[in-house]
Amino acid sequence: MGGARDLNTFEALLALQEIDQGLLRQRQSYSQIALDLQDKANRLKALREKCEQAKRSQMQTEVAMKRMELERASENQSRAEMEELLYSGTEVTNPRDYYRMELRLQEHANRIDAIDQRLDPIKTAANEARQVHSDLLVQLEEMEDEWVEQKRVGTDKQARISEQYNEALKHRNETAENIPSGHLGEYTRLFKSNGGMAVTMVERDICVGCSERVSMGELNVLKQADDPILCHCGKYLITLSTD
């Protein structure tokens, strides 16, 4: 009979949609927190690996520098011993010996100069690698502190969302009991296919879902309908007024 429809079904559909939209937002919020935590964990892992690479680079340059410093010290020691022999007079008995010793001393000096030319850039590289590693360690410590706090806050938020979600889910199930199974199944399909909007209202003869005007004939049919009517925008069209 016209006008004798049970408004509880229509009101329940609107209430169910509001609950489902809230549940959807909660799921999205929960997932976003998980994504943010995973992103932070990935960036933290990448920074740790970067620190390890910087540490290895620092060690390699320092080992190379130490090896070259030892080589220089050995050359310098040999030169010092030869100078001692040269000027002590025990190994030099004629000008030829003196000349030969001078040549050998010059060879040591040349090798020391060559080592110094190679050593300077290695020292620079070692200092730079040490500074890079030090800076990364500072960044790592800061990020680890941020990670601990973000994980604590995120986990607390997820726990609250889960609690609220479960309460809303109970309310949803109670609300869904007021909707005939056929309408509920169609509502579920429409909700998924329309991105979380299965039911829309008519306000001032306008469909809120698509902003299209509802004709007087369609509006009269809608007011007299005992079941929800599907708008051409793919949503249940509802009016709670029978005036």
Side-chain angles (χ1 to χ4, degrees):
M1 180 182 297
R5 68 186 183 184
D6 183 4
L7 292 181
N8 285 335
T9 297
F10 295 83
E11 292 169 346
L13 281 168
L14 287 171
L16 185 64
Q17 177 168 271
E18 183 177 356
I19 295 170
D20 281 343
Q21 288 174 344
L23 290 172
L24 179 61
R25 288 191 296 271
Q26 287 176 321
R27 288 196 298 271
Q28 291 171 341
S29 296
Y30 190 97
S31 297
Q32 188 59 54
I33 292 171
L35 288 173
D36 291 342
L37 289 175
Q38 186 59 54
D39 177 67
K40 190 73 168 186
N42 290 340
R43 290 191 288 119
L44 184 59
K45 179 181 177 182
L47 185 56
R48 287 190 181 118
E49 292 174 352
K50 195 173 182 180
C51 280
E52 286 299 315
Q53 292 174 354
K55 182 179 180 180
R56 288 193 295 270
S57 178
Q58 176 186 341
M59 292 176 63
Q60 289 170 355
T61 54
E62 288 181 347
V63 167
M65 181 179 67
K66 179 61 68 175
R67 185 181 297 117
M68 201 160 291
E69 286 176 344
L70 290 173
E71 184 181 347
R72 188 187 190 283
S74 178
E75 285 290 344
N76 201 45
Q77 180 65 27
S78 297
R79 184 180 67 173
E81 292 173 353
M82 191 167 292
E83 285 178 341
E84 185 177 352
L85 290 174
L86 175 64
Y87 299 119
S88 67
T90 57
E91 296 292 328
V92 179
T93 58
N94 55 62
R96 182 178 296 177
D97 291 338
Y98 184 84
Y99 178 71
R100 186 170 60 252
M101 294 285 283
E102 283 287 351
L103 287 177
R104 291 175 64 185
L105 282 171
Q106 187 59 49
E107 289 174 358
H108 281 295
N110 291 342
R111 284 195 289 269
I112 290 172
D113 288 342
I115 291 172
D116 286 340
Q117 290 178 8
R118 288 182 292 146
L119 183 58
D120 286 343
I122 291 178
K123 284 182 176 180
T124 300
N127 289 333
E128 291 176 351
R130 192 179 299 113
Q131 186 61 51
V132 167
H133 185 218
S134 177
D135 292 343
L136 287 173
L137 285 176
V138 172
Q139 294 178 32
L140 180 60
E141 183 178 359
E142 292 176 351
M143 186 176 287
E144 285 178 336
D145 290 342
E146 291 172 0
W147 161 245
V148 170
E149 180 62 15
Q150 183 174 342
K151 187 176 181 181
R152 183 190 66 78
V153 172
T155 301
D156 289 346
K157 285 183 178 179
Q158 285 182 320
R160 288 196 299 272
I161 290 173
S162 294
E163 183 178 352
Q164 294 167 0
Y165 186 90
N166 291 333
E167 287 298 319
L169 195 58
K170 292 178 183 178
H171 187 201
R172 184 200 188 277
N173 294 335
E174 294 170 355
T175 303
E177 291 177 356
N178 297 309
I179 303 172
S181 59
H183 296 331
L184 184 59
E186 182 67 3
Y187 160 84
T188 301
R189 184 187 68 79
L190 293 175
F191 189 86
K192 292 179 179 178
S193 63
N194 289 298
M197 177 67 75
V199 183
T200 185
M201 291 287 293
V202 175
E203 294 182 358
R204 297 181 180 179
D205 300 341
I206 299 294
C207 171
V208 176
C210 60
S211 300
E212 294 289 333
R213 181 171 294 279
V214 180
S215 69
M216 290 300 297
E218 291 174 324
L219 192 58
N220 286 332
V221 171
L222 180 64
K223 288 179 179 180
Q224 299 300 318
D226 293 317
D227 296 314
I229 293 177
L230 196 64
C231 180
H232 62 79
C233 66
K235 304 176 184 69
Y236 270 154
L237 194 58
I238 288 178
T239 177
L240 298 182
S241 173
T242 57
D243 298 334

